[in-house]
């Protein structure tokens, strides 16, 4: 037995009165007037006018019927009331039985007819009571999806625009009076109960299917007529909003501001807990309000890259890589987040590839050099300890730690890393630096012109240039050039030179072309065009026969160098071209060696390659291979291995 069955009749009636009052407050909470009628269905004969009030005192059955009538409006039918509120006191069940069994009870129709159907019948009744011309005006203005202008309506019915406005004003007043109370008002109150402050036409139509019914005369669905005839709610983009779309967005945004944390994040389930919408519709509505749902969380205002990184880290609760953050947000290019990750103060780099929120208190990873310096301090550190911590904590490779620990400001002795004393000198020799070649009696840098060169940015050069110019750590040197002094600096980030844009323009060298950067051993700085980078030549590209007069020139003979079908000669020319050796230089060396043969071409190219690497022209091949490997020149190594190994 339910505990409510033990209550006295007087107590039960009091509870019903209280419930009826509270339910009324739910729908008209903003209306403090004392003459607000209870939200009940109106009898049929009161459908087109104001609801009458009974002066008779309410008894138990009357109150029960009132509550049942009210709940049926909220739930859509008396059946749903019974299904939802089945565990109720006996006198409620008694009222249900009396109402359903009585064919003459005035409330039986109210409970039996769905509230949306009663509202639809009322609007159809209103429409037919107007004259044909008035019906035409209402239909064109509100019905059938027309929403015609006053001028268009006037033209159709033979009236002026102003006269149409006057007629519409009278019709609107009559309709508003009829729908301000009764079935339409009750239906809107029930819709507000289920959808406030915002819901969807789809969800409300599932509870009140009659909303989709097309009204006769109006030739439009019920939900649309409620939208155009009553300003207590607005339907926009499929959303039912109380009182309008913009106010609902504002209320939602204010609610999110109160619920989200510092980074604009709140668990989706917390929003769901206070919402009546389905999960899918709630997510769509939040997106309408400028928020995004990711990883079961709501993020407000995710308009900047920094905001997205912060939110992703906040949601994950642990460091993430840019690829992982991009995947969370569905971003195809993770590098678009890189600038924000470096510039936002609340975000730190916690390892080589991962980022964290500064408030987590994790150690910030700046660079391998800074990591080693922080551990060495003013004393020393064990290399094995550095490798163990660096690989596990910061994701740095052991080889990188060894390299940094034995160069620049650090020295490595018997597995102990310490700082160098006095001025720090560059550790890499010019001959060990990839891209530097011995040409015209001095080391020169072969490089392809890029966008940074053309826009006037400084550019990095091999570490061997700092050694070549005798620079110390943090020192800059000015070298005269045709465009004034050219600066070259060596610091912890590497060796860099100033802008060469004007020199490139003066020489007519374009982006994508190769050039020689000549430091003149510190006496004068100049640039000049380098031999174009030719595509790798294949054996089948070479004709076994020499060119005849009138034939299309063979590109392999350019500069006087003729190649036979031997793949060896082709590969040697490829290697020479890769290192910036021109065909003219190859032709001259062939001539010096006594004439052109396949073997002479190989010897000419091999001697020039050795010379460009800072070796003697007759250096053995093993010395050439060793020098290329020491320079970490993978492309050149691949070519010589194909030739000689």
């Amino acid at each position: 037995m339910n505990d409510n069955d033990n209550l006295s009749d007087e107590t039960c009636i009091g509870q019903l009165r209280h419930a009826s009052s509270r339910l009324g407050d739910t729908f008209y909470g903003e209306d403090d007037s004392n003459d607000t009628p209870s939200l009940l269905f109106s009898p049929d004969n009161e459908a087109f006018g104001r609801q009458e009030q009974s002066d008779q005192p309410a008894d138990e059955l009357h109150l029960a019927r009132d509550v049942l009538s009210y709940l049926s409006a909220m739930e859509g039918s008396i059946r749903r009331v019974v299904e939802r509120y089945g565990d109720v006191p006996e006198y409620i069940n008694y009222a249900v039985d009396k109402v359903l069994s009585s064919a003459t009870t005035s409330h039986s129709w109210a409970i039996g007819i769905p509230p949306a159907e009663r509202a639809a019948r009322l609007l159809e009744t209103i429409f037919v009571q107007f004259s044909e011309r008035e019906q035409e005006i209402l239909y064109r203005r509100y019905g059938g999806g027309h929403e015609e202008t006053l001028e268009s309506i006037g033209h159709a019915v033979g009236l002026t625009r102003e006269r149409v406005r006057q007629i519409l004003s009278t019709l609107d007043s009559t309709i508003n009076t009829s729908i301000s109370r009764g079935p339409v008002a009750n239906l809107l109150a029930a819709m507000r109960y289920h959808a406030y402050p915002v819901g969807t036409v789809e969800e409300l139509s599932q509870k009140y299917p009659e909303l989709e019914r097309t009204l006769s005369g109006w030739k439009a669905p019920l939900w649309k007529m409620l939208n155009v005839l009553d300003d207590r709610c607005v339907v926009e983009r499929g959303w039912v909003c109380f009182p309008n779309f913009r106010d609902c967005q504002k209320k939602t945004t204010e609610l999110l501001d109160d619920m989200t944390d510092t980074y604009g994040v709140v668990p989706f389930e917390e929003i769901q807990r206070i919402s009546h919408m389905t999960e899918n519709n709630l997510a769509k509505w939040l997106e309408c309000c400028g928020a995004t749902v990711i990883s079961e969380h709501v993020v407000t205002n995710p308009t900047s890259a920094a905001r997205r990184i912060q939110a992703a880290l906040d949601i994950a609760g642990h460091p993430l890589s840019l690829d992982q953050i991009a995947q969370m947000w569905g971003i195809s290019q993770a590098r678009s987040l890189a600038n924000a990750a470096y510039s936002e103060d609340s975000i730190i780099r916690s390892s080589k590839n991962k980022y964290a929120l500064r408030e987590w208190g994790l150690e910030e990873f700046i660079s391998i050099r800074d990591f080693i310096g922080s551990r060495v301090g003013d004393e020393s550190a064990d290399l094995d300890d550095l490798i163990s911590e660096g690989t596990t904590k910061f994701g740095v490779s052991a080889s990188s730690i060894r390299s940094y620990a034995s160069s620049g400001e650090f020295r490595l002795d018997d597995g102990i890393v310490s700082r160098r004393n006095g001025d720090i000198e560059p550790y890499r020799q010019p001959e060990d630096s990839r891209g530097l070649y011995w040409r015209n009696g001095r080391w020169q840098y072969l490089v392809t012109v890029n966008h940074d060169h053309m826009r006037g940015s400084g550019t990095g050069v091999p570490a061997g240039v700092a050694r070549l110019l005798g620079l110390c750590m943090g020192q800059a040197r000015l070298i005269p050039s045709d465009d004034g002094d050219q600066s070259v600096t060596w610091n912890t980030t590497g060796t860099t030179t100033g802008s060469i844009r004007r020199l490139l323009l003066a020489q007519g060298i374009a982006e994508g072309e190769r050039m020689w950067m000549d430091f003149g051993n510190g006496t004068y700085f100049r640039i000049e065009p380098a031999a174009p980078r030719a595509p790798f030549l294949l054996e089948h590209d070479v004709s076994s026969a020499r060119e005849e007069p009138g034939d299309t020139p063979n590109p392999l003979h350019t500069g006087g160098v003729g190649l036979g079908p031997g793949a060896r000669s082709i590969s040697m020319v490829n290697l020479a071209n890769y290192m910036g050796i021109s065909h003219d230089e190859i032709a001259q060396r062939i001539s010096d060696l006594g004439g052109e043969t396949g073997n002479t071409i190989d010897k000419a190219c091999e001697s020039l390659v050795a010379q460009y690497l800072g070796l003697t022209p007759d250096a053995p091949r093993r010395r050439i291979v060793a020098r290329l490997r020491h320079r970490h020149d993978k492309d050149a190594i691949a070519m010589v291995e194909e030739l000689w190994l």
Side-chain angles (χ1 to χ4, degrees):
M1 176 179 291
N2 193 301
D3 291 340
N4 289 330
D5 293 336
N6 296 323
L7 299 176
S8 66
D9 292 343
E10 182 179 351
T11 302
C12 291
I13 293 174
Q15 287 183 342
L16 280 172
R17 288 198 182 106
H18 178 67
S20 179
S21 174
R22 290 296 300 274
L23 288 171
D25 292 341
T26 301
F27 303 106
Y28 290 109
E30 299 173 355
D31 187 355
D32 295 327
S33 62
N34 295 324
D35 59 350
T36 301
S38 59
L39 292 177
L40 303 178
F41 291 115
S42 303
D44 287 340
N45 59 2
E46 296 172 348
F48 193 53
R50 182 174 179 84
Q51 180 176 345
E52 297 180 0
Q53 302 299 308
S54 174
D55 295 328
Q56 297 180 355
D59 58 12
E60 177 183 341
L61 181 57
H62 189 186
L63 281 175
R65 286 170 173 169
D66 283 352
V67 174
L68 285 172
S69 180
Y70 187 87
L71 291 175
S72 69
M74 302 305 102
E75 299 303 326
S77 70
I78 188 61
R79 182 181 298 278
R80 291 180 182 171
V81 175
V82 175
E83 289 174 352
R84 180 168 180 177
Y85 303 99
D87 188 19
V88 295
E90 284 300 323
Y91 61 87
I92 292 289
N93 290 327
Y94 173 73
V96 172
D97 293 338
K98 292 289 291 183
V99 168
L100 294 180
S101 62
S102 175
T104 58
T105 303
S106 61
H107 289 77
S108 62
W109 59 267
I111 296 177
I113 301 175
E117 176 62 26
R118 298 205 61 250
R121 293 181 185 181
L122 173 59
L123 291 176
E124 289 174 334
T125 301
I126 291 174
F127 188 84
V128 299
Q129 294 195 24
F130 293 117
S131 67
E132 290 186 4
R133 186 172 67 177
E134 291 171 335
Q135 290 180 8
E136 179 75 9
I137 292 173
L138 286 174
Y139 168 70
R140 290 181 174 275
R141 185 63 170 174
Y142 302 130
H146 291 288
E147 300 182 18
E148 294 184 21
T149 63
L150 298 177
E151 186 174 355
S152 174
I153 296 172
H155 181 74
V157 298
L159 297 174
T160 64
R161 179 183 183 279
E162 176 58 23
R163 181 56 184 150
V164 172
R165 187 195 65 77
Q166 293 173 356
I167 294 174
L168 269 176
S169 178
T170 302
L171 296 176
D172 288 344
S173 178
T174 302
I175 294 172
N176 287 337
T177 300
S178 302
I179 67 175
S180 62
R181 295 288 183 253
V184 173
N186 289 344
L187 176 60
L188 286 171
M191 291 169 58
R192 178 186 173 96
Y193 172 75
H194 291 291
Y196 182 84
V198 63
T200 66
V201 173
E202 177 187 11
E203 288 183 353
L204 285 173
S205 295
Q206 291 175 358
K207 182 168 285 293
Y208 304 107
E210 295 79 11
L211 287 173
E212 297 288 351
R213 179 163 83 76
T214 299
L215 305 185
S216 62
W218 300 100
K219 297 181 181 178
L222 174 57
W223 67 262
K224 181 178 180 182
M225 297 314 304
L226 294 175
N227 180 43
V228 299
L229 294 177
D230 196 295
D231 60 4
R232 281 173 283 187
C233 72
V234 170
V235 180
E236 185 173 333
R237 307 182 209 172
W239 301 103
V240 181
C241 306
F242 295 87
N244 57 60
F245 190 84
R246 182 164 297 182
D247 281 355
C248 287
Q249 282 184 315
K250 181 180 178 182
K251 289 177 182 178
T252 303
T253 301
E254 291 172 350
L255 177 66
L256 290 176
D257 288 342
D258 291 338
M259 298 182 69
T260 53
D261 62 15
T262 307
Y263 305 106
V265 176
V266 60
F268 183 75
E269 64 179 9
E270 291 190 16
I271 307 295
Q272 245 186 326
R273 194 176 298 124
I274 60 174
S275 173
H276 53 77
M277 284 192 278
T278 64
E279 179 178 339
N280 186 48
N281 283 336
L282 178 57
K284 290 180 180 178
W285 172 248
L286 293 173
E287 289 178 0
C288 285
C289 299
T292 300
V293 180
I294 63 166
S295 300
E296 299 180 354
H297 286 74
V298 178
V299 182
T300 61
N301 245 348
T303 54
S304 67
R307 183 78 161 184
R308 293 183 176 186
I309 297 173
Q310 290 170 333
L313 293 172
D314 189 28
I315 292 170
H318 56 78
L320 298 172
S321 67
L322 292 182
D323 285 336
Q324 290 172 319
I325 295 172
Q327 186 176 8
M328 287 180 66
W329 284 100
I331 300 173
S332 58
Q333 298 293 336
R335 62 174 176 265
S336 63
L337 303 171
N339 289 338
Y342 284 111
S343 61
E344 175 57 45
D345 186 62
S346 64
I347 302 169
I348 66 168
R349 194 177 173 198
S350 61
S351 67
K352 182 180 178 181
N353 299 314
K354 292 190 175 183
Y355 297 83
L357 292 174
R358 186 178 297 277
E359 67 175 29
W360 292 347
L362 300 178
E363 182 178 0
E364 184 172 4
F365 176 79
I366 298 175
S367 66
I368 300 176
R369 183 177 287 106
D370 286 331
F371 159 63
I372 296 174
S374 68
R375 301 311 188 258
V376 170
D378 295 329
E379 299 180 1
S380 61
D382 188 280
L383 177 62
D384 290 339
D385 292 342
L386 292 175
I387 291 176
S388 176
E389 182 181 9
T391 54
T392 57
K393 185 174 182 177
F394 297 116
V396 180
S397 68
S399 60
S400 296
I401 296 175
R402 288 193 189 94
S403 177
Y404 279 93
S406 59
S407 62
E409 61 186 296
F410 305 111
R411 59 184 298 166
L412 179 62
D413 298 305
D414 297 329
I416 302 299
V417 183
S418 60
R419 295 186 185 275
R420 297 180 186 272
N421 296 323
D423 291 335
I424 304 171
E425 297 181 352
Y427 69 95
R428 188 171 287 278
Q429 298 286 350
E431 60 267 25
D432 296 331
S433 300
R434 184 172 58 183
L436 284 180
Y437 297 102
W438 185 261
R439 180 175 179 269
N440 298 332
R442 55 190 175 273
W443 290 103
Q444 298 182 35
Y445 180 39
L446 177 65
V447 62
T448 300
V449 178
N450 58 34
H451 181 67
D452 289 337
H453 293 134
M454 298 306 300
R455 72 177 184 180
S457 301
T459 183
V461 294
V465 174
R467 185 66 174 257
L468 175 69
L469 300 177
L471 299 178
C472 292
M473 179 66 69
Q475 181 183 1
R477 182 168 178 177
L478 299 178
I479 307 175
S481 76
D482 292 343
D483 189 42
D485 290 341
Q486 184 71 24
S487 66
V488 182
T489 306
W490 181 50
N491 53 36
T492 57
T493 60
T495 309
T496 58
T497 181
S499 171
I500 59 172
R501 182 174 184 273
R502 292 184 180 179
L503 293 173
L504 289 171
L505 295 176
Q507 290 279 351
I509 303 175
E511 183 176 345
E513 297 178 354
R514 295 200 298 178
M515 67 172 175
W516 287 107
M517 196 179 289
D518 185 359
F519 297 89
N521 291 331
T523 60
Y524 201 83
F525 179 86
R526 63 178 59 83
I527 63 172
E528 63 177 282
R533 180 76 173 97
F536 287 119
L537 306 175
L538 303 177
E539 182 177 358
H540 59 73
D541 292 329
V542 184
S543 172
S544 59
R546 293 302 303 267
E547 297 162 340
E548 298 295 334
D551 287 347
T552 301
N554 190 324
L556 300 183
H557 299 155
T558 303
V561 180
L563 299 181
R568 187 182 191 84
S569 297
I570 299 169
S571 298
M572 284 305 305
V573 174
N574 277 332
L575 178 60
N577 174 261
Y578 170 81
M579 295 173 60
I581 301 171
S582 68
H583 283 169
D584 288 341
E585 291 177 280
I586 297 175
Q588 181 60 49
R589 183 60 56 92
I590 289 173
S591 176
D592 294 343
L593 292 174
E596 180 182 324
T597 66
N599 190 45
T600 305
I601 294 172
D602 291 347
K603 288 183 178 180
C605 291
E606 189 173 324
S607 65
L608 284 169
V609 166
Q611 188 175 322
Y612 263 58
L613 292 174
L615 302 172
T616 61
D618 59 350
R621 291 173 178 175
R622 59 180 175 78
R623 292 283 308 280
I624 295 175
V625 175
R627 178 60 57 85
L628 290 173
R629 285 176 173 167
H630 203 63
R631 292 159 67 100
H632 303 291
D633 196 334
K634 296 179 181 179
D635 292 333
I637 292 171
M639 285 187 246
V640 297
E641 285 181 346
E642 180 183 354
L643 278 166
W644 300 332
L645 301 181

